[in-house]
Amino acid sequence: MVQLLTPGGEVTDPARLPDPETQRRLYRLMRRARHFDERAWVLYRTGRMGVFPPYGGMEASQVGTAAALTHEDWLFPTYRDTGAALTYGLPIPQTIAYWRTSPHGWAMPENLKVLPFYIPIATQYPHAVGAALAEQRRGTQNVAMAFIGDGGSSEGDFHEALNFAGALNAPCVFILQNNGWAISVPTRAQTKATNLSRRADGYGIPGVRVDGNDVLATYVVTREAVERARRGEGPTLIETVTYRVKPHTVADDPSRYRTAEDTAGWDEKDPVVRLRTHLLAQGHLTEAEDAEIVREIEAEFEAALAEADAYPEPTPAEIVDHVFAEPTPALRRQRAELLAEEGQ
Amino acid sequence: MRTMTMVAAINDALALALERDPDVHIFGEDVGVMGGVFRATDGLQSRFGTDRVFDTPLAEAGIVGMGIGMGLAGLKPVAEIQFAGFLYPALDQVLSHLGRYRHRTRSRYHLPMVVRAPYGGGVHTPEQHADSPEAILAHTPGVKVVIPSTPRDAKGLLLAAIEDPDPVFFFEAIKLYRSVKEEVPEGHYTIPLGQARIVTEGDDVTVICYGGMVEVAQKAAEAARAHGIGVEVIDLRTLVPLDTGTILASVQKTGRVIVVTEAPRTGGFHSEISATIAEEAIDFLRAPILRVTGFDAPYPPFTSIEDAYRPNPVRVAKAIRKVMAY
């Protein structure tokens, strides 16, 4: 397993460390992702956010990977990957809107190649292969990145996608976040092959296992995979070994299926604390700078929340909009029905 | 004009699409070197290269899923599923994603994708090769469904399907691939989706059908004509969008309706047509709407009794007599 920082913040492989500027950037992105996760909980409890799948504790896995992309690259996130989408550049107001189930959260920005969070499991993996293949056919160096969990790696689409990507040499980076749990089912019950990175062997592509709570390691490993893909050397599967310290969603009660022993030790592996310890020790960050980063992040979020609050609510007639470029006669009739209902 | 089989007309349409638009890519099992199991893609790979026309691993969810990704990224994927009965592994991709992309992204993304698949019975294929799953697709929001019955229609509808900005399922009746020949215009033309074709005109009974059932309905109509009964045969050509205007105009004229498909009876698209007529034109009806269909059982892989499953002209003629006698 690749690791550059121990849980205590000690450097294990100085030669592979990214430069201090990049380290600070990754730290800031993790703090930003964490702030969203924490605020989402509070907003949910006060009725200002819908059901939300938290990713707190998995920031290194999501930020280190997505930070290796540019906006010319594709991102296919699952519902657990809000942190990755924010890191890639999905604006916070839109991200809030998505988790409020406002259409504004689905109308992705024109300048980004990101898809709304995937709800079905594993179906995004073949999509990434197709997008990557399209970039390859057009002669660009752009890549496609897709996320999945340990549970998702049991689905057929996961295996079909890895096989297609290998066979077609598609410029894909497959992130497999092994966070230990598929709702209530632990990885050991999911598969006998618990080293999930080895699944790559079956498809003749590189598989890398990385400490998913070490953002420097996830970033370096992902950047190498992205560069390989850009050079035309095909796909990589990256297993980020992390843990879902939070419930499946804000509506889930993990005490029904796991004990304190299951989760023991993971708080000490916290990715944000780990990098902060390292940055302070190396003098790459001061306490004052850290406080300033947090202040900026808080201000950014509150401004975004105000912007999201201003989005108008959709009307029932919008149900039948955007089905086809040109509505069918049936849809036109149904739209008239909805409008008539509204008028009553 | 050239005299062509339906499979040749489909091949011609695919070649034209590849020629006209560099975004068009054709892929699936055996479509490349071999040119498809029915030769629909014959010669295309050697003409357009392995980037444009390529074989995929044997995995239908992968084929459709990858096509979705290609479409999201702005290409025009034209996927072949070798038989409609082998579509089922890809249904997760179809039902979960294919028709939803424009809707879920409020038109930021759309999927100009075509999925072609041979369908239907009547040629004694092995088990699982003769299914008619079109109702599943027609019941899936955001997906168009096209089923041609002649070479000329197949070419024009396929070109329209490929040029359509939204996902289209294009089902090709295996029975008709080589059994029907007709004059097909050369070069590019399209037939708009959502326009039914009146195959034969008549004043007494309307028979609504599509794909492989059109020739069956025509034969029954000819037999009825010998008894002085005027049968209007309507070939829907597309199920989504549905040309209700042509259906209702005919029903208002004849007052008698038979819907013919080779799919299982319960919940088939024939039922949707029947319900539409009941809702919109019940005052014009002089007899119950009859459905002549397959049965609520899997298409039988038993050659000696297979022909009892698929509607034939005799069964349609019987239904014509029944509505005339009501």
Side-chain angles (χ1 to χ4, degrees):
Chain A
M1 186 163 78
V2 179
Q3 184 188 68
L4 304 183
L5 280 185
T6 65
E10 299 292 323
V11 178
T12 56
D13 190 351
R16 291 183 81 182
L17 282 189
D19 61 78
E21 194 48 47
T22 301
Q23 293 182 33
R24 273 200 300 272
R25 175 177 159 238
L26 293 169
Y27 176 70
R28 187 191 179 92
L29 287 166
M30 280 204 297
R31 289 300 300 245
R32 187 169 174 264
R34 173 150 304 185
H35 186 71
F36 188 100
D37 188 71
E38 286 169 350
R39 289 291 282 126
W41 277 91
V42 177
L43 290 165
Y44 169 74
R45 280 198 291 267
T46 55
R48 295 176 70 194
M49 190 87 107
V51 168
F52 176 75
Y55 54 87
M58 294 168 56
E59 291 87 352
S61 169
Q62 298 195 9
V63 169
T65 49
L69 300 178
T70 77
H71 288 173
E72 291 303 310
D73 299 312
W74 291 86
L75 180 71
F76 292 86
T78 79
Y79 55 83
R80 178 87 52 212
D81 307 315
T82 300
L86 290 170
T87 299
Y88 173 81
L90 189 64
I92 299 175
Q94 275 199 281
T95 313
I96 293 169
Y98 179 92
W99 291 114
R100 285 180 169 180
T101 74
S102 155
H104 296 274
W106 273 264
M108 308 316 269
E110 287 289 340
N111 64 323
L112 302 179
K113 295 176 175 176
V114 59
L115 285 301
F117 301 104
Y118 274 74
I119 300 298
I121 302 297
T123 51
Q124 67 282 0
Y125 256 44
H127 297 185
V129 177
L133 205 69
E135 295 290 351
Q136 185 193 71
R137 292 288 195 265
R138 292 212 164 109
T140 75
Q141 265 71 60
N142 306 328
V143 307
M145 178 183 288
F147 280 74
I148 207 164
D150 43 301
S153 78
S154 295
E155 286 271 12
D157 279 19
F158 168 84
H159 297 272
E160 293 191 28
L162 293 191
N163 189 49
F164 270 61
L168 298 161
N169 201 42
C172 279
V173 180
F174 296 112
I175 308 298
L176 198 179
Q177 297 186 100
N178 182 351
N179 69 7
W181 297 90
I183 305 190
S184 67
V185 176
T187 312
R188 65 178 181 277
Q190 196 71 239
T191 176
K192 197 166 182 176
T194 49
N195 181 335
L196 301 177
S197 66
R198 295 291 308 278
R199 296 189 162 195
D201 299 351
Y203 307 104
I205 67 174
V208 185
R209 197 168 217 228
V210 59
D211 181 342
N213 282 21
D214 173 2
V215 74
L216 302 184
T218 56
Y219 176 75
V220 166
V221 160
T222 308
R223 204 184 51 196
E224 287 167 1
V226 167
E227 283 163 5
R228 272 198 301 279
R230 293 202 203 289
R231 286 197 303 266
E233 293 168 27
T236 306
L237 175 68
I238 298 170
E239 178 193 4
T240 63
V241 180
T242 180
Y243 196 81
R244 199 196 78 210
V245 288
K246 299 276 180 82
H248 167 63
T249 70
V250 289
D252 172 44
D253 173 14
S255 72
R256 294 176 59 88
Y257 52 79
R258 69 184 186 190
T259 64
E261 291 86 78
D262 287 322
T263 309
W266 281 98
D267 282 344
E268 291 78 72
K269 295 179 185 171
D270 186 279
V272 177
V273 173
R274 187 186 305 201
L275 184 61
R276 186 174 182 272
T277 304
H278 162 76
L279 292 175
L280 290 170
Q282 298 292 315
H284 297 326
L285 181 78
T286 65
E287 294 280 1
E289 286 170 338
D290 189 31
E292 180 57 24
I293 286 171
V294 173
R295 264 196 303 279
E296 285 170 9
I297 285 168
E298 286 171 354
E300 180 194 27
F301 185 91
E302 296 315 309
L305 183 61
E307 197 176 318
D309 284 344
Y311 287 145
E313 287 294 329
T315 62
E318 289 178 52
I319 289 170
V320 291
D321 287 346
H322 303 287
V323 178
F324 295 115
E326 188 61 44
T328 57
L331 282 163
R332 276 199 292 272
R333 286 193 297 274
Q334 289 162 32
R335 193 169 204 279
E337 278 174 39
L338 283 161
L339 285 170
E341 288 289 321
E342 277 178 67
Q344 282 165 12
Chain B
M1 290 284 209
R2 274 198 302 158
T3 304
M4 280 189 183
T5 60
M6 193 160 99
V7 75
I10 287 164
N11 182 270
D12 191 31
L14 293 172
L16 278 166
L18 284 161
E19 212 169 72
R20 289 166 56 89
D21 184 350
D23 285 339
V24 171
H25 288 66
I26 292 174
F27 52 94
E29 295 156 17
D30 307 300
V31 302
V33 178
M34 183 174 160
V37 291
F38 290 105
R39 306 289 178 269
T41 55
D42 192 29
L44 298 180
Q45 187 179 69
S46 56
R47 195 172 148 200
F48 295 96
T50 51
D51 272 4
R52 302 283 307 283
V53 182
F54 58 98
D55 292 319
T56 62
L58 202 164
E60 288 76 13
I63 292 168
V64 175
M66 180 181 74
I68 288 171
M70 291 165 76
L72 291 173
L75 295 183
K76 287 198 173 164
V78 181
E80 178 178 299
I81 297 294
Q82 203 155 71
F83 287 88
F86 300 163
L87 175 67
Y88 309 135
L91 280 184
D92 181 15
Q93 287 290 345
V94 172
L95 305 181
S96 298
H97 293 297
L98 193 60
R100 294 180 196 248
Y101 256 100
R102 183 182 290 282
H103 193 259
R104 78 188 295 252
T105 65
R106 312 317 276 163
S107 294
R108 161 66 177 92
Y109 291 100
H110 65 282
L111 278 180
M113 180 173 178
V114 174
V115 181
R116 294 177 41 249
Y119 91 101
V123 287
H124 305 307
T125 42
E127 186 176 13
Q128 200 88 25
H129 288 65
D131 283 21
S132 298
E134 65 271 14
I136 299 171
L137 289 314
H139 191 61
T140 302
V143 176
K144 295 180 179 178
V145 181
V146 180
I147 310 181
S149 71
T150 72
R152 180 195 293 235
D153 276 7
K155 180 176 169 180
L157 288 167
L158 183 51
L159 283 164
I162 293 170
E163 289 162 29
D164 196 280
D166 292 305
V168 182
F169 259 87
F170 194 87
F171 287 112
E172 301 159 6
I174 300 168
K175 179 90 165 48
L176 303 179
Y177 266 145
R178 293 177 192 278
S179 64
V180 187
K181 281 188 181 176
E182 71 172 343
E183 295 271 286
V184 175
E186 299 197 35
H188 178 271
Y189 66 94
T190 58
I191 294 171
L193 306 189
Q195 287 185 9
R197 177 174 67 99
I198 296 173
V199 182
T200 58
E201 294 195 349
D203 293 332
D204 300 318
V205 184
T206 301
V207 177
I208 299 166
C209 51
Y210 51 82
M213 286 295 107
V214 175
E215 64 170 7
V216 171
Q218 277 177 282
K219 283 177 184 152
E222 273 163 41
R225 233 191 319 278
H227 294 98
I229 301 166
V231 178
E232 185 143 293
V233 176
I234 295 177
D235 173 5
L236 291 179
R237 299 203 285 199
T238 68
L239 310 192
V240 180
L242 181 64
D243 181 358
T244 48
T246 298
I247 294 171
L248 296 174
S250 180
V251 170
Q252 287 168 9
K253 179 173 66 172
T254 64
R256 302 180 187 92
V257 193
I258 296 159
V259 192
V260 188
T261 79
E262 57 186 293
R265 184 154 318 154
T266 299
F269 198 76
H270 40 257
S271 308
E272 177 61 30
I273 297 164
S274 309
T276 302
I277 293 165
E279 274 183 351
E280 303 288 334
I282 195 144
D283 292 343
F284 296 90
L285 291 177
R286 301 193 229 172
I289 304 164
L290 295 188
R291 295 170 295 168
V292 180
T293 68
F295 298 91
D296 289 339
Y299 190 98
F302 318 117
T303 305
S304 60
I305 55 171
E306 174 185 337
D307 291 343
Y309 185 96
R310 193 171 182 262
N312 55 37
V314 174
R315 273 172 67 193
V316 178
K318 199 184 283 181
I320 291 171
R321 285 199 298 275
K322 200 170 169 183
V323 294
M324 288 305 292
Y326 184 78

